C-alpha cells in the first residue's frame, strides 16, 4: 500500500515512521510511505503558505494555492490516491472507516495547521474529510499518524496471522472491545488469574472471553453515553 503525507512539518513523522511495526513494513516493501512538504509549493521569497481570514477572526488560514498545487502534483503519479483531509469537522474515524481506507491501494493524507484550510481547498479537491475525534489538535499530523497506524495493521503481512485474526470480534454487528487478559505471574499482590484461563478447556475459555468482551463493551458504551449527555 502507498501512503503520501502532505504536511508543513515533515520532521514530526521521523521516529514514528521508523518505529518497529511501520519501520519493518516499509523495509519489506509492504508499505510505501512518502512525505511531501506543502511549503515546497509556496511562491515568493518568504514561501508564504498562510494568511489572515477575510472578515476578521483569530489565527491564520492555509492559502488554497500551495495546498491545491501540492495535492495536484502528488496525484500526477498513477494511480491517483484516495485524498483524505484531516480536519475536526470531518466524518468521525472508527474501525469501519479504517477498514475502508485499508482497501484503497493508495491514500493521500493532507494535514492542516493554523486555524484550518481556506474553504476553496475542499471545493476544488472534494477530499474525504476525516476527524479523529471531537477535540481540536494543533494540526492534522497527529491525526494522520493515528490513521497510518490503524490502517497499516490491516495491510496483509504487516501483523503476524495470530494477531490479525483477533480483530474479527463482533456481537450482533457491533464491534467488541478486548476483554481482560493476563500473563505471568499467576498471582500479583493478591490478585489471581481467573481459574478458567488455567483450565486448558479451550471451548470454555473462548466462551468466557466472549462474555467478558460483551460486558466490557456494554460498560464502555454506558460510560460514553452518559458522558455525551453532560450539558
Ligand atoms: N486537525 C485538528 N484537529 C483534528 C481532529 N480532531 N481530527 C483530525 N484532524 C484534526
Amino acid at each position: 500500500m502507498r501512503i503520501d503525507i502532505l504536511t508543513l512539518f515533515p520532521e514530526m513523522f521521523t521516529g514514528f515512521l521508523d518505529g518497529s511495526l511501520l519501520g519493518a513494513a516499509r523495509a519489506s516493501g509492504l508499505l510505501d510511505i512518502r512525505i511531501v512538504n506543502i511549503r515546497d509549493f509556496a511562491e515568493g521569497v518568504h514561501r508564504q503558505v498562510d494568511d489572515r481570514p477575510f472578515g476578521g477572526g483569530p489565527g491564520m488560514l492555509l492559502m488554497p494555492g500551495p495546498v491545491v498545487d501540492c495535492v495536484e502534483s502528488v496525484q500526477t503519479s498513477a494511480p491517483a490516491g484516495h485524498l483524505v483531509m484531516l480536519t475536526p469537522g470531518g466524518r468521525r474515524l472508527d474501525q469501519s472507516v479504517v477498514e475502508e481506507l485499508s482497501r484503497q491501494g493508495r491514500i493521500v493524507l493532507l494535514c492542516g495547521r493554523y486555524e484550518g484550510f481556506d474553504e476553496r481547498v475542499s471545493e476544488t479537491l472534494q477530499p474525504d474529510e476525516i476527524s479523529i475525534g471531537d477535540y481540536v489538535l494543533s494540526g492534522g499530523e497527529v491525526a494522520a499518524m493515528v490513521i497510518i497506524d490503524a490502517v497499516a495493521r490491516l495491510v496483509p503481512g504487516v501483523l503476524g496471522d495470530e494477531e490479525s485474526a483477533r480483530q474479527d470480534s463482533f456481537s450482533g454487528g457491533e464491534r467488541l472491545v478486548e476483554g481482560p487478559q493476563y500473563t505471568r505471574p499467576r498471582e500479583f499482590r493478591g490478585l489471581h488469574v481467573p481459574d478458567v484461563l488455567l483450565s486448558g478447556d479451550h471451548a470454555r475459555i473462548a466462551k468466557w472471553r466472549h462474555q467478558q468482551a460483551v460486558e466490557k463493551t456494554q460498560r464502555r458504551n454506558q460510560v460514553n453515553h452518559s458522558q455525551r449527555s453532560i450539558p
Side-chain angles (χ1 to χ4, degrees):
M1 177 178 205
R2 176 165 163 187
I3 303 177
D4 298 82
I5 306 162
L6 280 41
T7 173
L8 285 166
F9 298 91
E11 66 282 0
M12 284 182 72
F13 292 87
T14 51
F16 169 69
L17 292 178
D18 300 329
S20 63
L21 190 91
L22 293 176
R26 293 173 75 205
S28 66
L30 289 168
L31 288 178
D32 175 5
I33 304 184
R34 305 182 195 192
I35 302 185
V36 180
N37 192 336
I38 298 170
R39 198 174 294 278
D40 291 345
F41 295 83
E43 286 173 1
V45 274
H46 298 295
R47 304 218 146 228
Q48 188 180 354
V49 289
D50 59 321
D51 212 333
R52 284 165 305 180
F54 281 119
M60 303 285 269
L61 292 178
L62 286 175
M63 299 156 77
V67 176
V68 172
D69 285 351
C70 179
V71 172
E72 286 177 348
S73 159
V74 162
Q75 294 286 42
T76 54
S77 61
H82 177 78
L83 179 64
V84 172
M85 176 195 270
L86 286 320
T87 164
R91 64 182 175 131
R92 182 95 60 86
L93 186 75
D94 62 16
Q95 192 65 19
S96 67
V97 175
V98 170
E99 283 166 10
E100 203 185 303
L101 296 175
S102 74
R103 287 192 288 270
Q104 306 282 338
R106 180 184 175 201
I107 55 175
V108 176
L109 300 173
L110 176 58
C111 306
R113 278 267 140 178
Y114 312 109
E115 300 301 314
F117 298 92
D118 181 300
E119 185 62 20
R120 291 164 295 181
V121 172
S122 288
E123 286 173 358
T124 308
L125 300 170
Q126 304 280 316
D128 181 5
E129 298 185 19
I130 294 183
S131 161
I132 62 162
D134 285 347
Y135 39 80
V136 181
L137 302 166
S138 11
E141 284 77 9
V142 171
M145 290 184 214
V146 168
I147 289 182
I148 294 166
D149 189 292
V151 166
R153 297 168 57 78
L154 300 186
V155 171
V158 170
L159 291 185
D161 286 346
E162 200 188 307
E163 268 190 277
S164 47
R166 263 206 262 143
Q167 293 168 353
D168 294 315
S169 181
F170 287 91
S171 165
E174 190 200 19
R175 189 175 299 276
L176 299 178
V177 299
E178 191 89 61
Q181 306 232 68
Y182 301 84
T183 184
R184 289 195 296 175
R186 288 179 178 217
E187 190 225 306
F188 172 74
R189 298 192 180 181
L191 301 168
H192 294 265
V193 174
D195 285 339
V196 58
L197 296 176
L198 308 173
S199 69
D201 182 340
H202 295 296
R204 235 180 99 216
I205 291 171
K207 195 171 161 214
W208 182 85
R209 282 191 169 143
H210 181 76
Q211 189 56 37
Q212 292 289 319
V214 169
E215 286 170 19
K216 194 163 178 178
T217 304
Q218 284 168 350
R219 283 197 299 275
R220 201 263 318 241
N221 289 350
Q222 267 161 16
V223 170
N224 281 346
H225 189 78
S226 58
Q227 271 175 357
R228 223 173 292 135
S229 55
I230 292 171

